[in-house]
Amino acid sequence: MTHPQPTPEQHGHTHSHGPAAPVSKHLRKVIAAVLIPFAAAVVVGLVMLWPGGAPAHERTGVGFDRQTVQGKVTAVQRVDCKDVNAAQVPPTGDTSTPEGREAQQAETGSCKKATVEVGSGKDKGRTFTEIVQPDAPRQLKDGQGVVVAYAPDAPRDLQYSVTDVNRKFPMALLAGIFALAVIVVGRMKGLMALIALAVSFAILTLFILPAILQGSNPLVVAVVGASAIMLIALYACHGLTARTSVAVIGTLISLLLIGLLGSLFIGWAFLSGNTDDNTGLIHGLYPDIDMSGLLLAGVIIGSLGVLDDVTVTQTSAVWELHQADPKMGPRALYRAGIRIGRDHIASVVNTLVLAYAGAALPLLLLFSIAQSSVGTVANSELVAAEIVRTLVGSIGLVASVPVTTALAALVVSADRTGTTGASGPAAPSGPAGSPQTPAESPARGSSSRGGRGRRRKP
């Protein structure tokens, strides 16, 4: 016997585990009224602040501001350190200090004399020697690729020196493994995530950094650049949907909160942003850059990546809760979503703090060696800047959970498309909540076994 097949309209009203139904036309207009002006303002900001490249300057030859070329170690031989005058401090026999131990080892130890060939630049093919002391953290070996610093104003024999090793191949290989893993597991979404990552890096290197160097306000540049990254990354990875739009709005509100709190506490704590040799070099080369503003820009950009994760997760959770039970109102959706968000807050905040602590681990070791108190360590500007960065970012993350959850609950509850469908009112439901087919309708007088004819008398 053949059972009646459900009609397309009845298929349209069954609940599935696929993507959520699109929101109503009215809600799409409301969301567009918020996001289109915002996106237009971001585009205007990009056009007005576009730097056209980093400004030129005369190289100082200090730190990263050195001319470098590629090189290769062609030979390494062992020599006595005293024969090559490797000792910088005359040995006194006192090894209680690092200088004394270094001088003693340089006097009595075995050094390496490396021959290095310049592999690029105007002096390609030229060779020079590099003396490597036995306690040097970077030891050279034959055939190793190196980065060579070039000082044109130095005497000819001292113009070239090894400044680092060449790590391009292992770094490129690791990046390739990462990209392959993302594509294999994430498939099309993984590919879109990699494209969004490339676009984010392009905005950072082509817009944010050069614009700050050109003298534009670092806070304004960071807000415009971070907003552009947010729009491109979220919509590229998650699609041009109302769900993504809610996540964008939640991220934007949280970024504004982070910007306000960061500006307040960076000024209140008198954080200059000039805390180490690198920031000192930047300030020396470009004295017009607002270093405290640069610190605030770093807070905003650093918080954006984790914010995207939190807002997208919360929005998706609320949408799936509504998909599972369309009868849930905004309050019920918010309560259920915020329970998920509390678990997310606990893990994300801990992750953020540990990430900053891991990056500053050598600095924390120095304070531990000096036996400084916790108050002394926290009061130093170098650590205080990281504390402000961590806490302001964490406050923004915590605030993003209730804000995004409330927005998602209001939007998805106000939508009526999921309950009415695209072709009219929903069909009446049976006991299990599924639409009744004509064969199941009591008006047809059919038996529960699907047979035709009248029910037999008992």
Side-chain angles (χ1 to χ4, degrees):
M1 183 176 70
T2 305
H3 291 279
Q5 298 295 322
T7 63
E9 290 81 0
Q10 291 163 344
H11 268 303
H13 296 301
T14 57
H15 296 295
S16 67
H17 296 286
V23 297
S24 62
K25 186 176 181 181
H26 173 69
L27 282 178
R28 288 199 300 270
K29 288 182 178 180
V30 173
I31 294 172
V34 175
L35 289 179
I36 290 178
F38 170 63
V42 171
V43 172
V44 171
L46 287 172
V47 172
M48 293 182 62
L49 297 173
W50 193 264
H57 71 280
E58 186 177 350
R59 289 188 178 273
T60 62
V62 178
F64 289 103
D65 195 39
R66 290 181 288 186
Q67 299 183 40
T68 59
V69 293
Q70 298 301 311
K72 183 179 180 181
V73 179
T74 57
V76 176
Q77 64 182 44
R78 290 192 175 276
V79 295
D80 289 335
C81 292
K82 59 182 179 181
D83 293 339
V84 292
N85 297 320
Q88 302 295 323
V89 180
T92 61
D94 181 13
T95 58
S96 61
T97 63
E99 293 82 3
R101 289 192 296 270
E102 181 180 351
Q104 185 71 19
Q105 190 174 16
E107 179 69 18
T108 60
S110 176
C111 293
K112 290 180 180 179
K113 184 178 181 181
T115 302
V116 182
E117 180 181 353
V118 178
S120 61
K122 64 183 184 65
D123 291 330
K124 182 178 180 180
R126 177 178 167 182
T127 61
F128 66 94
T129 58
E130 182 86 7
I131 304 300
V132 183
Q133 297 187 21
D135 61 341
R138 181 177 60 246
Q139 298 292 321
L140 301 180
K141 60 182 181 179
D142 192 10
Q144 186 176 31
V146 292
V147 179
V148 177
Y150 173 58
D153 298 332
R156 179 175 173 80
D157 293 342
L158 302 176
Q159 284 182 334
Y160 287 97
S161 61
V162 175
T163 184
D164 208 343
V165 298
N166 192 330
R167 304 181 180 90
K168 290 183 179 180
F169 178 74
M171 299 296 287
L173 179 61
L174 182 59
I177 295 173
F178 164 72
L180 181 62
V182 170
I183 293 175
V184 168
V185 177
R187 299 185 181 180
M188 183 55 66
K189 280 202 170 185
L191 178 61
M192 295 306 297
L194 291 177
I195 294 174
L197 178 63
V199 173
S200 300
F201 187 75
I203 293 175
L204 182 64
T205 56
L206 299 179
F207 171 70
I208 295 177
L209 300 180
I212 292 175
L213 292 178
Q214 290 281 12
S216 299
N217 188 302
L219 176 58
V220 176
V221 171
V223 169
V224 173
S227 299
I229 291 173
M230 174 184 65
L231 290 172
I232 294 172
L234 287 180
Y235 283 119
C237 294
H238 305 287
L240 195 64
T241 63
R243 180 189 300 192
T244 309
S245 300
V246 171
V248 168
I249 296 173
T251 305
L252 175 62
I253 294 173
S254 302
L255 279 179
L256 292 176
L257 177 62
I258 289 173
L260 291 173
L261 286 176
S263 179
L264 173 63
F265 282 95
I266 287 175
W268 197 359
F270 297 100
L271 297 177
S272 64
N274 192 354
T275 55
D276 55 22
D277 294 340
N278 294 327
T279 54
L281 179 59
I282 293 171
H283 184 65
L285 294 173
Y286 299 95
D288 294 334
I289 293 180
D290 180 8
M291 299 303 293
S292 61
L294 186 62
L295 174 61
L296 179 57
V299 173
I300 293 174
I301 295 172
S303 302
L304 177 61
V306 189
L307 269 178
D308 289 351
D309 174 49
V310 172
T311 55
V312 169
T313 301
Q314 285 304 115
T315 306
S316 297
V318 173
W319 240 264
E320 293 301 326
L321 287 168
H322 176 73
Q323 189 85 341
D325 186 2
K327 296 180 181 179
M328 292 180 69
R331 289 187 178 181
L333 283 171
Y334 177 80
R335 286 195 296 267
I338 204 67
R339 286 195 294 270
I340 300 172
R342 291 190 185 106
D343 292 335
H344 208 179
I345 287 173
S347 60
V348 167
V349 169
N350 194 45
T351 300
L352 191 64
V353 172
L354 290 179
Y356 283 126
L361 196 58
L363 175 64
L364 297 178
L365 283 174
L366 288 177
F367 281 109
S368 179
I369 292 171
Q371 296 182 351
S372 301
S373 65
V374 175
T376 302
V377 172
N379 189 66
S380 66
E381 182 172 357
L382 194 57
V383 176
E386 296 302 323
I387 292 175
V388 170
R389 190 198 310 269
T390 303
L391 296 182
V392 168
S394 299
I395 291 171
L397 289 175
V398 171
S400 70
V401 171
V403 168
T404 308
T405 305
L407 284 173
L410 289 173
V411 169
V412 78
S413 298
D415 175 42
R416 293 291 177 261
T417 3
T419 56
T420 58
S423 58
S429 298
S434 58
Q436 293 176 337
T437 62
E440 296 170 343
S441 175
R444 294 289 184 106
S446 60
S447 67
S448 60
R449 296 182 182 180
R452 288 181 286 182
R454 297 180 180 179
R455 193 184 299 265
R456 291 182 180 181
K457 294 183 180 180

